[in-house]
Amino acid sequence: MAILNDVEVFYVKCDPKRPNAQFSKKNPRWECQLITSDPTKKEEWAGHGLKPKLMVYKEGDPKEGEPILSSEGKKQWKLSLSKNSLKDEDGEMVPAKPVDVVDSNRDPVDPNPIGNGSVCNV
């Protein structure tokens, strides 16, 4: 997969020992959400076969269906990436290799301090 440069990440759950089990207790996953207000980045993501979605207010909100704008007044798109912690090998579920979280020198780093709005290469 291609490397997406200089993206804002949110809800990073990449601790090898604690994949997120919120959506599946049987097969927790490592995940993060990318957000951009740059239409060029949105097109770059789409060019890699990814499907960024326009962020809109949810049902029941007074602005339901309207785009959620950034602090600069721009539309925003989001993209969720995930990897299951278990994989199927010949009909048997076995542990998958955790997501690698590295610095610019490719040295491993602790993913837990990565906070919402951190700029990363994914």
Side-chain angles (χ1 to χ4, degrees):
M1 176 173 217
I3 294 178
L4 308 176
N5 293 305
D6 301 322
V7 296
E8 275 190 278
V9 295
F10 294 82
Y11 310 108
V12 177
K13 310 268 193 244
C14 291
D15 185 332
K17 297 174 186 157
R18 294 184 320 148
N20 185 11
Q22 179 179 357
F23 300 107
S24 174
K25 303 243 185 272
K26 292 181 180 179
N27 194 357
R29 61 187 184 187
W30 299 289
E31 59 192 11
C32 71
Q33 190 175 89
L34 316 180
I35 295 179
T36 188
S37 58
D38 181 350
T40 307
K41 278 199 190 294
K42 179 196 81 132
E43 292 303 320
E44 175 190 348
W45 298 353
H48 291 297
L50 303 170
K51 297 178 181 173
K53 295 180 182 171
L54 180 65
M55 295 175 64
V56 296
Y57 287 97
K58 293 184 179 183
E59 186 177 332
D61 190 284
K63 296 181 179 181
E64 180 180 330
E66 292 181 30
I68 298 174
L69 303 179
S70 68
S71 58
E72 295 85 32
K74 297 179 180 180
K75 291 180 182 178
Q76 299 180 95
W77 294 271
K78 68 179 177 179
L79 176 66
S80 296
L81 299 176
S82 65
K83 178 180 180 180
N84 289 331
S85 63
L86 300 173
K87 63 181 179 178
D88 187 336
E89 278 189 8
D90 300 323
E92 184 178 340
M93 298 303 280
V94 297
K97 182 180 179 293
V99 175
D100 291 326
V101 181
V102 297
D103 63 15
S104 59
N105 294 320
R106 297 191 180 253
D107 294 325
V109 296
D110 179 7
N112 293 310
I114 300 172
N116 290 345
S118 295
V119 177
C120 302
N121 296 336
V122 181

